[in-house]
């Protein structure tokens, strides 16, 4: 599949050989270019023969000499060059199927794109990947690959993902392992389906692959908008504790076998069970922070280090509010009190926003909406500034999940709103100033 060039950077290697906007790129060094991975991989050479069709319809071949990894300077209509690939599954636990109606259209799109796994860390199910793409991952040594496994029981995987090919797709994992491709695996656990004995089976199967470098178990998220969907139960204190025990047992085994811990329970399991979250050292390289694995421990350590810089600060008269989800409220409150103790005259109110928009079982900060913030804070004294974690906003940093912008919420609450990164350093710095 040839691709159309949208624009060419002035002075770039492609510009110098005469490629122009509207030309069609066919190949680099004889390799067909179909998407962003092909383009990125084959443009890295220092000597390239670029084949393209110019705007007069003539096929041209031009030699390019450049620095290693220097960009060719070609731009395309989309970052991926072609369209994102949508998910082929109908998972019984899919959170997108649990979204309320009336949200912006882009939120209902389910991606299952192997390219996004490499480029942005997205998780893929392997049900939407061709043999050619598997071979390309191996040839280009694209690593790591993030995989939503959920279970290694083929029949159960078909049932949970409502896809007849879901079981067969598991055969890709040993192929990637044999090729030395590192894998991070995710298990979304649903009580009565893939927990308990099935969890043991999945961990045993996955952790026997030397290149599965991390397995994360995450509890199913259940919103209040599950009309017509499969009946699922949430984890409770007892079942969460049982899950942690299983994961710890297999984690200890990987420490013995590989010299490092390779399987982890998400922080939410500890909060549900009432157990203390492990220390920073427990989590190794923190390979699955996006799955909520080790976020608490890392934030605590970063905040401790940041607080050491504020052992002597002048008095202030500042009143601010920090907004978070219910899950993180205890930790953020603790850090806020420590900041107050260091600076006389500082007042920090921490608000754990109850999620009415999606449902009270949803407790993470990333799913808090402007609607819930406004309704729960409109009659309270917010102070001169409100801090929010940037995960509440879309990637552009301007809009909440309910399509209300930061600017709109600022005006409604009559307060300055400052989004901050989700790390302890940024939190302490934003509070202390």
């Amino acid at each position: 599949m040839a691709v159309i060039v949208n624009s060419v950077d002035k002075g770039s290697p492609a510009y110098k050989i005469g490629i122009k906007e509207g030309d069609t790129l066919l190949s680099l060094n004889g390799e067909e270019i179909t998407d962003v991975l092909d383009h990125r991989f084959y443009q890295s050479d220092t000597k390239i023969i670029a084949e393209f069709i110019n705007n007069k319809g003539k096929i041209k071949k031009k030699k390019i000499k450049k620095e290693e990894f220097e960009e060719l300077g070609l731009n395309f209509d989309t970052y991926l060059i072609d369209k994102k690939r949508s998910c082929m599954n109908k998972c019984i636990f899919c959170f997108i199927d649990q979204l309320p109606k009336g949200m912006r259209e882009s939120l209902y799109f389910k991606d299952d794109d192997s390219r996004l796994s490499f480029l942005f860390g997205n998780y893929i199910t392997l049900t939407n990947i061709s043999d050619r793409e598997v071979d390309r991952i191996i040839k280009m040594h694209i690593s790591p690959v993030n995989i939503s496994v959920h279970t290694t029981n083929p029949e159960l995987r078909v049932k949970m993902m409502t896809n007849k090919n879901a079981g067969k797709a598991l055969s890709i994992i040993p192929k990637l392992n044999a090729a030395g491709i590192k894998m991070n695996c995710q298990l979304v656990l649903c009580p009565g389906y893939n927990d308990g004995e099935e969890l043991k089976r999945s961990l045993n199967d996955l952790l026997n692959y030397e290149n599965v470098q991390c397995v994360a178990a995450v509890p199913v998220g259940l919103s209040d908008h599950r009309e017509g969907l499969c009946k699922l139960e949430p984890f409770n204190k007892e079942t969460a504790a049982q899950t942690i025990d299983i994961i710890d047992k297999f984690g200890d085994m990987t420490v013995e076998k590989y010299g490092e811990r390779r399987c982890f329970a998400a922080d939410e399991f500890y909060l549900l069970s009432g157990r203390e979250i492990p220390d920073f050292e427990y989590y190794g390289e923190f390979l699955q922070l996006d799955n909520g694995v080790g976020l608490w421990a890392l934030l605590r350590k970063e905040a401790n280090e940041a607080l050491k810089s504020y052992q002597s600060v002048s008095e202030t008269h500042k009143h601010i509010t920090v907004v978070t989800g219910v899950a993180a409220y205890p930790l953020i409150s603790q850090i806020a009190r420590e900041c107050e103790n260091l600076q006389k005259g500082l007042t920090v109110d921490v608000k754990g926003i109850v999620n009415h928009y999606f449902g009270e079982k949803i407790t993470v900060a990333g799913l808090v909406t402007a609607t819930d913030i406004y309704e729960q804070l409109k009659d309270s004294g917010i102070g001169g500034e409100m801090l929010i974690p940037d995960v509440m906003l879309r990637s552009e940093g301007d809009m909440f999940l309910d399509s209300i912008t930061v600017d709109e919420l600022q005006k409604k609450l009559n307060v300055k709103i400052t989004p901050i990164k989700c790390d302890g350093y940024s939190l302490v710095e934003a509070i202390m100033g």
Side-chain angles (χ1 to χ4, degrees):
M1 181 189 79
V3 294
I4 307 298
V5 176
N6 180 263
S7 65
V8 183
D9 295 338
K10 192 171 183 179
S12 66
Y15 180 88
K16 291 175 181 177
I17 65 164
I19 298 180
K20 295 181 173 62
E21 175 185 344
D23 289 353
T24 301
L25 180 65
L26 299 176
S27 67
L28 297 174
N29 281 343
E31 300 288 349
E32 183 183 12
I33 304 302
T34 62
D35 61 21
V36 65
L37 293 190
D38 289 334
H39 179 249
R40 285 184 61 167
F41 185 74
Y42 293 114
Q43 75 164 348
S44 63
D45 291 339
T46 57
K47 295 180 180 179
I48 295 173
I49 296 177
E51 183 177 15
F52 61 98
I53 302 175
N54 67 15
N55 54 17
K56 294 181 180 179
K58 293 185 178 180
I59 296 178
K60 296 279 188 178
K61 284 187 178 182
K62 295 278 189 175
K63 293 180 180 179
I64 298 174
K65 288 185 179 182
K66 64 178 191 62
E67 297 296 323
E68 188 175 14
F69 303 117
E70 181 186 1
E71 297 281 334
L72 282 178
L74 298 175
N75 303 301
F76 306 94
D77 281 336
T78 65
Y79 182 75
L80 290 171
I81 294 179
D82 62 358
K83 294 181 180 179
K84 283 195 293 188
R85 295 166 192 164
S86 61
C87 186
M88 308 287 286
N89 311 308
K90 183 71 174 176
C91 296
I92 60 173
F93 49 82
C94 179
F95 196 78
I96 293 177
D97 290 338
Q98 304 178 61
L99 296 179
K101 295 178 181 178
M103 302 179 74
R104 60 182 182 274
E105 188 176 346
S106 60
L107 295 174
Y108 298 98
F109 179 80
K110 308 176 189 178
D111 81 74
D112 191 15
D113 198 319
S114 61
R115 299 164 301 177
L116 295 177
S117 176
F118 172 63
L119 295 168
F120 301 115
N122 295 28
Y123 280 75
I124 58 172
T125 65
L126 302 177
T127 62
N128 200 23
I129 187 171
S130 66
D131 290 340
R132 176 189 177 277
E133 288 176 292
V134 173
D135 292 340
R136 180 172 70 167
I137 288 171
I138 292 170
K139 179 180 180 180
M140 296 181 179
H141 203 78
I142 295 172
S143 184
V145 175
N146 298 320
I147 304 172
S148 291
V149 178
H150 309 312
T151 176
T152 57
N153 179 335
E155 292 78 18
L156 179 59
R157 197 168 195 253
V158 168
K159 180 180 179 180
M160 292 186 71
M161 299 174 68
T162 324
N163 184 328
K164 65 181 181 180
N165 296 316
K168 296 175 186 176
L170 290 170
S171 64
I172 297 172
I173 294 176
K175 190 172 183 179
L176 295 177
N177 181 70
I181 304 299
K182 300 294 183 185
M183 291 168 276
N184 297 318
C185 298
Q186 174 197 61
L187 309 173
V188 176
L189 299 185
C190 303
Y193 283 86
N194 59 340
D195 60 340
E197 292 303 312
E198 288 292 347
L199 172 60
K200 293 177 184 177
R201 169 179 175 161
S202 296
L203 291 175
N204 184 65
D205 290 344
L206 291 172
L207 295 170
N208 274 320
Y209 295 118
E210 62 179 339
N211 288 306
V212 170
Q213 60 183 3
C214 187
V215 180
V218 183
V220 61
L222 301 175
S223 83
D224 285 349
H225 305 275
R226 292 189 54 81
E227 298 83 1
L229 299 178
C230 174
K231 182 175 174 58
L232 294 175
E233 296 296 328
F235 279 89
N236 57 35
K237 184 174 183 177
E238 181 182 0
T239 54
Q242 291 168 355
T243 300
I244 292 171
D245 289 341
I246 292 171
I247 292 168
D248 277 349
K249 179 180 178 181
F250 279 88
D252 292 341
M253 290 166 57
T254 63
V255 171
E256 265 189 55
K257 183 174 182 178
Y258 300 112
E260 61 183 0
R261 189 170 297 277
R262 292 194 175 187
C263 65
F264 305 90
D267 294 358
E268 193 173 350
F269 278 115
Y270 292 93
L271 298 174
L272 286 169
S273 68
R275 293 190 180 181
E276 188 174 345
I277 291 177
D279 293 334
F280 173 85
E281 290 75 18
Y282 177 89
Y283 292 98
E285 297 297 318
F286 288 87
L287 295 175
Q288 299 222 34
L289 282 171
D290 286 346
N291 272 320
V293 175
L295 272 173
W296 187 290
L298 182 59
L299 185 67
R300 177 68 272 183
K301 183 176 187 295
E302 290 171 342
N304 287 344
E305 291 178 352
L307 286 165
K308 292 175 183 177
S309 304
Y310 293 93
Q311 294 306 310
S312 177
V313 291
S314 58
E315 185 176 347
T316 186
H317 298 284
K318 184 165 69 171
H319 178 193
I320 63 174
T321 294
V322 180
V323 170
T324 187
V326 171
Y329 173 78
L331 177 58
I332 304 301
S333 295
Q334 182 184 359
I335 294 169
R337 299 293 79 78
E338 291 167 359
C339 289
E340 286 180 330
N341 292 337
L342 283 172
Q343 189 167 29
K344 188 177 180 181
L346 173 65
T347 301
V348 185
D349 291 330
V350 180
K351 305 292 185 181
I353 302 299
V354 178
N355 201 321
H356 298 303
Y357 194 91
F358 292 108
E360 293 186 16
K361 290 189 288 289
I362 305 301
T363 60
V364 295
L367 292 175
V368 169
T369 60
T371 299
D372 280 333
I373 294 174
Y374 175 73
E375 289 299 325
Q376 293 171 48
L377 299 187
K378 62 183 179 180
D379 298 321
S380 61
I382 299 175
E385 184 179 15
M386 179 192 294
L387 307 179
I388 64 170
D390 60 4
V391 292
M392 291 182 181
L393 308 174
R394 65 178 181 177
S395 58
E396 291 86 347
D398 63 337
M399 185 180 289
F400 292 87
L401 283 168
D402 51 359
S403 297
I404 296 173
T405 66
V406 174
D407 188 53
E408 288 169 340
L409 185 59
Q410 282 185 141
K411 291 175 180 176
K412 291 178 72 174
L413 290 174
N414 192 29
V415 66
K416 177 187 176 184
I417 297 177
T418 304
I420 60 172
K421 293 180 181 179
C422 293
D423 63 74
Y425 302 111
S426 298
L427 175 61
V428 171
E429 182 178 353
I431 291 174
M432 301 294 287

